[in-house]
PDB file of all heavy atoms in Angstrom:
ATOM      1  N   ARG A   1      23.297  -3.170  13.412  1.00  0.00           N
ATOM      2  CA  ARG A   1      24.392  -4.111  13.643  1.00  0.00           C
ATOM      3  C   ARG A   1      24.509  -5.111  12.488  1.00  0.00           C
ATOM      4  O   ARG A   1      25.622  -5.501  12.106  1.00  0.00           O
ATOM      5  CB  ARG A   1      24.184  -4.853  14.963  1.00  0.00           C
ATOM      6  CG  ARG A   1      24.533  -4.033  16.195  1.00  0.00           C
ATOM      7  CD  ARG A   1      24.576  -4.907  17.436  1.00  0.00           C
ATOM      8  NE  ARG A   1      23.238  -5.365  17.808  1.00  0.00           N
ATOM      9  CZ  ARG A   1      22.444  -4.743  18.666  1.00  0.00           C
ATOM     10  NH1 ARG A   1      22.847  -3.611  19.236  1.00  0.00           N
ATOM     11  NH2 ARG A   1      21.259  -5.240  18.972  1.00  0.00           N
ATOM     12  N   THR A   2      23.377  -5.507  11.931  1.00  0.00           N
ATOM     13  CA  THR A   2      23.400  -6.434  10.792  1.00  0.00           C
ATOM     14  C   THR A   2      24.048  -5.776   9.582  1.00  0.00           C
ATOM     15  O   THR A   2      24.909  -6.377   8.921  1.00  0.00           O
ATOM     16  CB  THR A   2      21.964  -6.883  10.448  1.00  0.00           C
ATOM     17  OG1 THR A   2      21.435  -7.599  11.567  1.00  0.00           O
ATOM     18  CG2 THR A   2      21.944  -7.777   9.215  1.00  0.00           C
ATOM     19  N   LEU A   3      23.666  -4.540   9.286  1.00  0.00           N
ATOM     20  CA  LEU A   3      24.264  -3.833   8.158  1.00  0.00           C
ATOM     21  C   LEU A   3      25.758  -3.635   8.363  1.00  0.00           C
ATOM     22  O   LEU A   3      26.552  -3.754   7.414  1.00  0.00           O
ATOM     23  CB  LEU A   3      23.581  -2.483   7.965  1.00  0.00           C
ATOM     24  CG  LEU A   3      22.129  -2.510   7.477  1.00  0.00           C
ATOM     25  CD1 LEU A   3      21.553  -1.099   7.426  1.00  0.00           C
ATOM     26  CD2 LEU A   3      22.019  -3.165   6.097  1.00  0.00           C
ATOM     27  N   GLN A   4      26.171  -3.342   9.581  1.00  0.00           N
ATOM     28  CA  GLN A   4      27.590  -3.146   9.855  1.00  0.00           C
ATOM     29  C   GLN A   4      28.372  -4.455   9.732  1.00  0.00           C
ATOM     30  O   GLN A   4      29.503  -4.478   9.233  1.00  0.00           O
ATOM     31  CB  GLN A   4      27.760  -2.543  11.250  1.00  0.00           C
ATOM     32  CG  GLN A   4      27.281  -1.093  11.334  1.00  0.00           C
ATOM     33  CD  GLN A   4      27.022  -0.627  12.750  1.00  0.00           C
ATOM     34  OE1 GLN A   4      27.351  -1.325  13.713  1.00  0.00           O
ATOM     35  NE2 GLN A   4      26.422   0.543  12.881  1.00  0.00           N
ATOM     36  N   GLY A   5      27.760  -5.556  10.178  1.00  0.00           N
ATOM     37  CA  GLY A   5      28.418  -6.849  10.044  1.00  0.00           C
ATOM     38  C   GLY A   5      28.625  -7.240   8.589  1.00  0.00           C
ATOM     39  O   GLY A   5      29.681  -7.769   8.211  1.00  0.00           O
ATOM     40  N   ILE A   6      27.615  -6.965   7.765  1.00  0.00           N
ATOM     41  CA  ILE A   6      27.743  -7.237   6.334  1.00  0.00           C
ATOM     42  C   ILE A   6      28.808  -6.327   5.721  1.00  0.00           C
ATOM     43  O   ILE A   6      29.619  -6.772   4.892  1.00  0.00           O
ATOM     44  CB  ILE A   6      26.383  -7.043   5.631  1.00  0.00           C
ATOM     45  CG1 ILE A   6      25.373  -8.084   6.129  1.00  0.00           C
ATOM     46  CG2 ILE A   6      26.547  -7.144   4.111  1.00  0.00           C
ATOM     47  CD1 ILE A   6      23.945  -7.816   5.685  1.00  0.00           C
ATOM     48  N   HIS A   7      28.810  -5.068   6.125  1.00  0.00           N
ATOM     49  CA  HIS A   7      29.800  -4.103   5.635  1.00  0.00           C
ATOM     50  C   HIS A   7      31.213  -4.642   5.865  1.00  0.00           C
ATOM     51  O   HIS A   7      32.073  -4.602   4.965  1.00  0.00           O
ATOM     52  CB  HIS A   7      29.600  -2.778   6.367  1.00  0.00           C
ATOM     53  CG  HIS A   7      30.440  -1.647   5.893  1.00  0.00           C
ATOM     54  ND1 HIS A   7      31.783  -1.511   6.230  1.00  0.00           N
ATOM     55  CD2 HIS A   7      30.155  -0.585   5.089  1.00  0.00           C
ATOM     56  CE1 HIS A   7      32.258  -0.421   5.681  1.00  0.00           C
ATOM     57  NE2 HIS A   7      31.300   0.172   4.977  1.00  0.00           N
ATOM     58  N   ALA A   8      31.467  -5.187   7.058  1.00  0.00           N
ATOM     59  CA  ALA A   8      32.799  -5.698   7.384  1.00  0.00           C
ATOM     60  C   ALA A   8      33.152  -6.941   6.576  1.00  0.00           C
ATOM     61  O   ALA A   8      34.339  -7.217   6.345  1.00  0.00           O
ATOM     62  CB  ALA A   8      32.878  -6.006   8.872  1.00  0.00           C
ATOM     63  N   ALA A   9      32.132  -7.695   6.142  1.00  0.00           N
ATOM     64  CA  ALA A   9      32.379  -8.918   5.378  1.00  0.00           C
ATOM     65  C   ALA A   9      32.566  -8.665   3.891  1.00  0.00           C
ATOM     66  O   ALA A   9      33.012  -9.551   3.158  1.00  0.00           O
ATOM     67  CB  ALA A   9      31.218  -9.898   5.580  1.00  0.00           C
ATOM     68  N   LEU A  10      32.206  -7.463   3.428  1.00  0.00           N
ATOM     69  CA  LEU A  10      32.364  -7.108   2.020  1.00  0.00           C
ATOM     70  C   LEU A  10      33.754  -6.547   1.750  1.00  0.00           C
ATOM     71  O   LEU A  10      34.382  -5.952   2.632  1.00  0.00           O
ATOM     72  CB  LEU A  10      31.328  -6.053   1.619  1.00  0.00           C
ATOM     73  CG  LEU A  10      29.872  -6.497   1.492  1.00  0.00           C
ATOM     74  CD1 LEU A  10      28.972  -5.269   1.338  1.00  0.00           C
ATOM     75  CD2 LEU A  10      29.697  -7.428   0.297  1.00  0.00           C
ATOM     76  N   ARG A  11      34.211  -6.705   0.530  1.00  0.00           N
ATOM     77  CA  ARG A  11      35.432  -6.006   0.117  1.00  0.00           C
ATOM     78  C   ARG A  11      35.122  -4.525  -0.052  1.00  0.00           C
ATOM     79  O   ARG A  11      33.952  -4.132  -0.181  1.00  0.00           O
ATOM     80  CB  ARG A  11      35.945  -6.591  -1.207  1.00  0.00           C
ATOM     81  CG  ARG A  11      35.017  -6.374  -2.389  1.00  0.00           C
ATOM     82  CD  ARG A  11      35.708  -6.643  -3.706  1.00  0.00           C
ATOM     83  NE  ARG A  11      34.803  -6.578  -4.830  1.00  0.00           N
ATOM     84  CZ  ARG A  11      34.356  -5.458  -5.409  1.00  0.00           C
ATOM     85  NH1 ARG A  11      34.723  -4.282  -4.937  1.00  0.00           N
ATOM     86  NH2 ARG A  11      33.556  -5.515  -6.454  1.00  0.00           N
ATOM     87  N   PRO A  12      36.116  -3.666  -0.060  1.00  0.00           N
ATOM     88  CA  PRO A  12      35.865  -2.257  -0.358  1.00  0.00           C
ATOM     89  C   PRO A  12      35.132  -2.108  -1.686  1.00  0.00           C
ATOM     90  O   PRO A  12      35.490  -2.741  -2.681  1.00  0.00           O
ATOM     91  CB  PRO A  12      37.268  -1.643  -0.414  1.00  0.00           C
ATOM     92  CG  PRO A  12      38.082  -2.533   0.477  1.00  0.00           C
ATOM     93  CD  PRO A  12      37.535  -3.922   0.281  1.00  0.00           C
ATOM     94  N   GLU A  13      34.088  -1.306  -1.681  1.00  0.00           N
ATOM     95  CA  GLU A  13      33.219  -1.064  -2.838  1.00  0.00           C
ATOM     96  C   GLU A  13      32.408  -2.307  -3.241  1.00  0.00           C
ATOM     97  O   GLU A  13      31.838  -2.357  -4.332  1.00  0.00           O
ATOM     98  CB  GLU A  13      34.008  -0.520  -4.035  1.00  0.00           C
ATOM     99  CG  GLU A  13      34.693   0.807  -3.726  1.00  0.00           C
ATOM    100  CD  GLU A  13      35.331   1.435  -4.958  1.00  0.00           C
ATOM    101  OE1 GLU A  13      35.503   0.740  -5.979  1.00  0.00           O
ATOM    102  OE2 GLU A  13      35.652   2.629  -4.880  1.00  0.00           O
ATOM    103  N   GLY A  14      32.333  -3.309  -2.345  1.00  0.00           N
ATOM    104  CA  GLY A  14      31.446  -4.434  -2.584  1.00  0.00           C
ATOM    105  C   GLY A  14      29.991  -4.002  -2.484  1.00  0.00           C
ATOM    106  O   GLY A  14      29.679  -2.918  -1.971  1.00  0.00           O
ATOM    107  N   HIS A  15      29.081  -4.852  -2.928  1.00  0.00           N
ATOM    108  CA  HIS A  15      27.676  -4.478  -3.037  1.00  0.00           C
ATOM    109  C   HIS A  15      26.802  -5.278  -2.069  1.00  0.00           C
ATOM    110  O   HIS A  15      27.088  -6.427  -1.747  1.00  0.00           O
ATOM    111  CB  HIS A  15      27.180  -4.690  -4.464  1.00  0.00           C
ATOM    112  CG  HIS A  15      27.815  -3.785  -5.462  1.00  0.00           C
ATOM    113  ND1 HIS A  15      28.984  -4.126  -6.131  1.00  0.00           N
ATOM    114  CD2 HIS A  15      27.464  -2.556  -5.909  1.00  0.00           C
ATOM    115  CE1 HIS A  15      29.313  -3.132  -6.954  1.00  0.00           C
ATOM    116  NE2 HIS A  15      28.416  -2.173  -6.835  1.00  0.00           N
ATOM    117  N   LEU A  16      25.713  -4.655  -1.675  1.00  0.00           N
ATOM    118  CA  LEU A  16      24.657  -5.287  -0.893  1.00  0.00           C
ATOM    119  C   LEU A  16      23.356  -5.104  -1.648  1.00  0.00           C
ATOM    120  O   LEU A  16      22.995  -3.979  -2.027  1.00  0.00           O
ATOM    121  CB  LEU A  16      24.559  -4.642   0.501  1.00  0.00           C
ATOM    122  CG  LEU A  16      23.318  -4.988   1.332  1.00  0.00           C
ATOM    123  CD1 LEU A  16      23.252  -6.477   1.635  1.00  0.00           C
ATOM    124  CD2 LEU A  16      23.299  -4.157   2.620  1.00  0.00           C
ATOM    125  N   VAL A  17      22.637  -6.205  -1.874  1.00  0.00           N
ATOM    126  CA  VAL A  17      21.355  -6.172  -2.571  1.00  0.00           C
ATOM    127  C   VAL A  17      20.331  -6.913  -1.720  1.00  0.00           C
ATOM    128  O   VAL A  17      20.583  -8.034  -1.275  1.00  0.00           O
ATOM    129  CB  VAL A  17      21.448  -6.829  -3.971  1.00  0.00           C
ATOM    130  CG1 VAL A  17      20.075  -6.832  -4.649  1.00  0.00           C
ATOM    131  CG2 VAL A  17      22.470  -6.106  -4.839  1.00  0.00           C
ATOM    132  N   PHE A  18      19.196  -6.291  -1.484  1.00  0.00           N
ATOM    133  CA  PHE A  18      18.145  -6.945  -0.706  1.00  0.00           C
ATOM    134  C   PHE A  18      16.788  -6.338  -1.051  1.00  0.00           C
ATOM    135  O   PHE A  18      16.694  -5.261  -1.629  1.00  0.00           O
ATOM    136  CB  PHE A  18      18.410  -6.819   0.798  1.00  0.00           C
ATOM    137  CG  PHE A  18      18.382  -5.403   1.326  1.00  0.00           C
ATOM    138  CD1 PHE A  18      17.215  -4.859   1.843  1.00  0.00           C
ATOM    139  CD2 PHE A  18      19.522  -4.612   1.298  1.00  0.00           C
ATOM    140  CE1 PHE A  18      17.186  -3.556   2.325  1.00  0.00           C
ATOM    141  CE2 PHE A  18      19.511  -3.314   1.779  1.00  0.00           C
ATOM    142  CZ  PHE A  18      18.331  -2.782   2.286  1.00  0.00           C
ATOM    143  N   GLU A  19      15.752  -7.067  -0.653  1.00  0.00           N
ATOM    144  CA  GLU A  19      14.383  -6.634  -0.911  1.00  0.00           C
ATOM    145  C   GLU A  19      13.666  -6.411   0.415  1.00  0.00           C
ATOM    146  O   GLU A  19      14.006  -6.987   1.442  1.00  0.00           O
ATOM    147  CB  GLU A  19      13.640  -7.699  -1.709  1.00  0.00           C
ATOM    148  CG  GLU A  19      13.488  -9.004  -0.955  1.00  0.00           C
ATOM    149  CD  GLU A  19      13.165 -10.181  -1.850  1.00  0.00           C
ATOM    150  OE1 GLU A  19      13.765 -10.298  -2.932  1.00  0.00           O
ATOM    151  OE2 GLU A  19      12.323 -10.994  -1.452  1.00  0.00           O
ATOM    152  N   THR A  20      12.649  -5.559   0.378  1.00  0.00           N
ATOM    153  CA  THR A  20      11.776  -5.355   1.523  1.00  0.00           C
ATOM    154  C   THR A  20      10.424  -4.893   1.011  1.00  0.00           C
ATOM    155  O   THR A  20      10.342  -4.139   0.034  1.00  0.00           O
ATOM    156  CB  THR A  20      12.379  -4.344   2.525  1.00  0.00           C
ATOM    157  OG1 THR A  20      11.540  -4.235   3.672  1.00  0.00           O
ATOM    158  CG2 THR A  20      12.588  -2.984   1.902  1.00  0.00           C
ATOM    159  N   ARG A  21       9.356  -5.368   1.636  1.00  0.00           N
ATOM    160  CA  ARG A  21       8.012  -5.048   1.157  1.00  0.00           C
ATOM    161  C   ARG A  21       7.698  -3.578   1.364  1.00  0.00           C
ATOM    162  O   ARG A  21       8.040  -2.991   2.395  1.00  0.00           O
ATOM    163  CB  ARG A  21       6.965  -5.902   1.874  1.00  0.00           C
ATOM    164  CG  ARG A  21       7.083  -7.394   1.593  1.00  0.00           C
ATOM    165  CD  ARG A  21       5.994  -8.151   2.344  1.00  0.00           C
ATOM    166  NE  ARG A  21       6.105  -9.596   2.167  1.00  0.00           N
ATOM    167  CZ  ARG A  21       6.792 -10.407   2.947  1.00  0.00           C
ATOM    168  NH1 ARG A  21       7.480  -9.902   3.970  1.00  0.00           N
ATOM    169  NH2 ARG A  21       6.820 -11.704   2.722  1.00  0.00           N
ATOM    170  N   ARG A  22       6.994  -3.001   0.396  1.00  0.00           N
ATOM    171  CA  ARG A  22       6.602  -1.591   0.484  1.00  0.00           C
ATOM    172  C   ARG A  22       5.427  -1.440   1.440  1.00  0.00           C
ATOM    173  O   ARG A  22       4.382  -2.079   1.264  1.00  0.00           O
ATOM    174  CB  ARG A  22       6.205  -1.077  -0.892  1.00  0.00           C
ATOM    175  CG  ARG A  22       7.324  -1.042  -1.897  1.00  0.00           C
ATOM    176  CD  ARG A  22       6.826  -0.674  -3.263  1.00  0.00           C
ATOM    177  NE  ARG A  22       6.068   0.571  -3.260  1.00  0.00           N
ATOM    178  CZ  ARG A  22       6.044   1.434  -4.275  1.00  0.00           C
ATOM    179  NH1 ARG A  22       6.733   1.175  -5.372  1.00  0.00           N
ATOM    180  NH2 ARG A  22       5.332   2.524  -4.204  1.00  0.00           N
ATOM    181  N   PRO A  23       5.548  -0.600   2.475  1.00  0.00           N
ATOM    182  CA  PRO A  23       4.426  -0.435   3.393  1.00  0.00           C
ATOM    183  C   PRO A  23       3.169   0.115   2.730  1.00  0.00           C
ATOM    184  O   PRO A  23       2.054  -0.217   3.131  1.00  0.00           O
ATOM    185  CB  PRO A  23       4.949   0.531   4.459  1.00  0.00           C
ATOM    186  CG  PRO A  23       6.351   0.830   4.128  1.00  0.00           C
ATOM    187  CD  PRO A  23       6.737   0.148   2.871  1.00  0.00           C
ATOM    188  N   ASP A  24       3.334   0.953   1.685  1.00  0.00           N
ATOM    189  CA  ASP A  24       2.155   1.550   1.057  1.00  0.00           C
ATOM    190  C   ASP A  24       1.319   0.530   0.289  1.00  0.00           C
ATOM    191  O   ASP A  24       0.159   0.787  -0.040  1.00  0.00           O
ATOM    192  CB  ASP A  24       2.552   2.716   0.151  1.00  0.00           C
ATOM    193  CG  ASP A  24       3.509   2.336  -0.967  1.00  0.00           C
ATOM    194  OD1 ASP A  24       4.102   1.240  -0.910  1.00  0.00           O
ATOM    195  OD2 ASP A  24       3.663   3.138  -1.901  1.00  0.00           O
ATOM    196  N   HIS A  25       1.864  -0.637   0.031  1.00  0.00           N
ATOM    197  CA  HIS A  25       1.079  -1.691  -0.627  1.00  0.00           C
ATOM    198  C   HIS A  25       0.134  -2.378   0.359  1.00  0.00           C
ATOM    199  O   HIS A  25      -0.859  -2.975  -0.072  1.00  0.00           O
ATOM    200  CB  HIS A  25       1.999  -2.730  -1.269  1.00  0.00           C
ATOM    201  CG  HIS A  25       1.266  -3.775  -2.047  1.00  0.00           C
ATOM    202  ND1 HIS A  25       0.632  -3.500  -3.236  1.00  0.00           N
ATOM    203  CD2 HIS A  25       1.023  -5.086  -1.798  1.00  0.00           C
ATOM    204  CE1 HIS A  25       0.050  -4.592  -3.692  1.00  0.00           C
ATOM    205  NE2 HIS A  25       0.277  -5.578  -2.823  1.00  0.00           N
ATOM    206  N   ARG A  26       0.424  -2.321   1.649  1.00  0.00           N
ATOM    207  CA  ARG A  26      -0.444  -2.842   2.704  1.00  0.00           C
ATOM    208  C   ARG A  26      -0.791  -4.323   2.481  1.00  0.00           C
ATOM    209  O   ARG A  26      -1.945  -4.744   2.518  1.00  0.00           O
ATOM    210  CB  ARG A  26      -1.722  -1.998   2.816  1.00  0.00           C
ATOM    211  CG  ARG A  26      -1.445  -0.521   3.117  1.00  0.00           C
ATOM    212  CD  ARG A  26      -2.705   0.296   3.217  1.00  0.00           C
ATOM    213  NE  ARG A  26      -3.504  -0.095   4.383  1.00  0.00           N
ATOM    214  CZ  ARG A  26      -3.326   0.378   5.610  1.00  0.00           C
ATOM    215  NH1 ARG A  26      -2.351   1.256   5.849  1.00  0.00           N
ATOM    216  NH2 ARG A  26      -4.085  -0.021   6.599  1.00  0.00           N
ATOM    217  N   VAL A  27       0.261  -5.110   2.278  1.00  0.00           N
ATOM    218  CA  VAL A  27       0.049  -6.519   1.969  1.00  0.00           C
ATOM    219  C   VAL A  27      -0.636  -7.265   3.115  1.00  0.00           C
ATOM    220  O   VAL A  27      -1.310  -8.284   2.896  1.00  0.00           O
ATOM    221  CB  VAL A  27       1.397  -7.191   1.613  1.00  0.00           C
ATOM    222  CG1 VAL A  27       2.303  -7.298   2.830  1.00  0.00           C
ATOM    223  CG2 VAL A  27       1.180  -8.554   0.979  1.00  0.00           C
ATOM    224  N   TRP A  28      -0.528  -6.761   4.345  1.00  0.00           N
ATOM    225  CA  TRP A  28      -1.168  -7.422   5.479  1.00  0.00           C
ATOM    226  C   TRP A  28      -2.688  -7.480   5.315  1.00  0.00           C
ATOM    227  O   TRP A  28      -3.330  -8.358   5.895  1.00  0.00           O
ATOM    228  CB  TRP A  28      -0.784  -6.730   6.782  1.00  0.00           C
ATOM    229  CG  TRP A  28      -1.046  -5.257   6.788  1.00  0.00           C
ATOM    230  CD1 TRP A  28      -2.216  -4.624   7.105  1.00  0.00           C
ATOM    231  CD2 TRP A  28      -0.097  -4.228   6.442  1.00  0.00           C
ATOM    232  NE1 TRP A  28      -2.074  -3.270   6.982  1.00  0.00           N
ATOM    233  CE2 TRP A  28      -0.777  -3.001   6.577  1.00  0.00           C
ATOM    234  CE3 TRP A  28       1.249  -4.229   6.056  1.00  0.00           C
ATOM    235  CZ2 TRP A  28      -0.151  -1.775   6.345  1.00  0.00           C
ATOM    236  CZ3 TRP A  28       1.861  -3.020   5.804  1.00  0.00           C
ATOM    237  CH2 TRP A  28       1.173  -1.815   5.942  1.00  0.00           C
ATOM    238  N   GLU A  29      -3.261  -6.557   4.523  1.00  0.00           N
ATOM    239  CA  GLU A  29      -4.704  -6.620   4.274  1.00  0.00           C
ATOM    240  C   GLU A  29      -5.052  -7.827   3.405  1.00  0.00           C
ATOM    241  O   GLU A  29      -6.100  -8.451   3.588  1.00  0.00           O
ATOM    242  CB  GLU A  29      -5.186  -5.318   3.628  1.00  0.00           C
ATOM    243  CG  GLU A  29      -5.042  -4.116   4.556  1.00  0.00           C
ATOM    244  CD  GLU A  29      -5.441  -2.812   3.890  1.00  0.00           C
ATOM    245  OE1 GLU A  29      -5.707  -2.812   2.664  1.00  0.00           O
ATOM    246  OE2 GLU A  29      -5.497  -1.782   4.602  1.00  0.00           O
ATOM    247  N   GLU A  30      -4.177  -8.172   2.477  1.00  0.00           N
ATOM    248  CA  GLU A  30      -4.359  -9.392   1.691  1.00  0.00           C
ATOM    249  C   GLU A  30      -4.180 -10.620   2.583  1.00  0.00           C
ATOM    250  O   GLU A  30      -4.936 -11.587   2.493  1.00  0.00           O
ATOM    251  CB  GLU A  30      -3.366  -9.434   0.538  1.00  0.00           C
ATOM    252  CG  GLU A  30      -3.484  -8.296  -0.458  1.00  0.00           C
ATOM    253  CD  GLU A  30      -2.387  -8.343  -1.499  1.00  0.00           C
ATOM    254  OE1 GLU A  30      -1.762  -9.419  -1.668  1.00  0.00           O
ATOM    255  OE2 GLU A  30      -2.125  -7.303  -2.123  1.00  0.00           O
ATOM    256  N   TRP A  31      -3.158 -10.576   3.432  1.00  0.00           N
ATOM    257  CA  TRP A  31      -2.901 -11.707   4.322  1.00  0.00           C
ATOM    258  C   TRP A  31      -4.095 -12.004   5.222  1.00  0.00           C
ATOM    259  O   TRP A  31      -4.399 -13.165   5.505  1.00  0.00           O
ATOM    260  CB  TRP A  31      -1.679 -11.416   5.191  1.00  0.00           C
ATOM    261  CG  TRP A  31      -0.386 -11.357   4.453  1.00  0.00           C
ATOM    262  CD1 TRP A  31      -0.141 -11.741   3.163  1.00  0.00           C
ATOM    263  CD2 TRP A  31       0.864 -10.875   4.968  1.00  0.00           C
ATOM    264  NE1 TRP A  31       1.172 -11.529   2.844  1.00  0.00           N
ATOM    265  CE2 TRP A  31       1.814 -10.997   3.928  1.00  0.00           C
ATOM    266  CE3 TRP A  31       1.260 -10.356   6.187  1.00  0.00           C
ATOM    267  CZ2 TRP A  31       3.133 -10.619   4.099  1.00  0.00           C
ATOM    268  CZ3 TRP A  31       2.581  -9.973   6.365  1.00  0.00           C
ATOM    269  CH2 TRP A  31       3.518 -10.103   5.325  1.00  0.00           C
ATOM    270  N   ALA A  32      -4.769 -10.958   5.682  1.00  0.00           N
ATOM    271  CA  ALA A  32      -5.866 -11.136   6.629  1.00  0.00           C
ATOM    272  C   ALA A  32      -7.037 -11.908   6.022  1.00  0.00           C
ATOM    273  O   ALA A  32      -7.822 -12.523   6.754  1.00  0.00           O
ATOM    274  CB  ALA A  32      -6.345  -9.778   7.145  1.00  0.00           C
ATOM    275  N   THR A  33      -7.154 -11.887   4.706  1.00  0.00           N
ATOM    276  CA  THR A  33      -8.258 -12.601   4.052  1.00  0.00           C
ATOM    277  C   THR A  33      -7.837 -13.979   3.550  1.00  0.00           C
ATOM    278  O   THR A  33      -8.675 -14.744   3.082  1.00  0.00           O
ATOM    279  CB  THR A  33      -8.797 -11.784   2.860  1.00  0.00           C
ATOM    280  OG1 THR A  33      -7.771 -11.647   1.864  1.00  0.00           O
ATOM    281  CG2 THR A  33      -9.244 -10.395   3.316  1.00  0.00           C
ATOM    282  N   ASP A  34      -6.555 -14.290   3.655  1.00  0.00           N
ATOM    283  CA  ASP A  34      -6.025 -15.551   3.126  1.00  0.00           C
ATOM    284  C   ASP A  34      -5.911 -16.564   4.264  1.00  0.00           C
ATOM    285  O   ASP A  34      -4.836 -16.801   4.815  1.00  0.00           O
ATOM    286  CB  ASP A  34      -4.666 -15.304   2.477  1.00  0.00           C
ATOM    287  CG  ASP A  34      -4.105 -16.532   1.806  1.00  0.00           C
ATOM    288  OD1 ASP A  34      -4.872 -17.491   1.587  1.00  0.00           O
ATOM    289  OD2 ASP A  34      -2.889 -16.557   1.518  1.00  0.00           O
TER     290      ASP A  34
END
């Protein structure tokens, strides 16, 4: 629903750019020691 809402707010051929953490990096193991 979030992606669709953004889609409706963009002009035709508008862009969406975002980041997300890579699961294979397993950052939660670093978090557990911090």
Side-chain angles (χ1 to χ4, degrees):
R1 283 192 290 267
T2 297
L3 291 176
Q4 290 161 9
I6 295 170
H7 186 282
L10 288 170
R11 65 166 174 78
E13 299 187 345
H15 294 90
L16 168 62
V17 178
F18 64 93
E19 64 198 42
T20 184
R21 296 180 183 90
R22 295 174 54 147
D24 59 345
H25 185 70
R26 301 180 67 85
V27 69
W28 54 86
E29 295 177 353
E30 299 175 19
W31 292 348
T33 64
D34 185 15

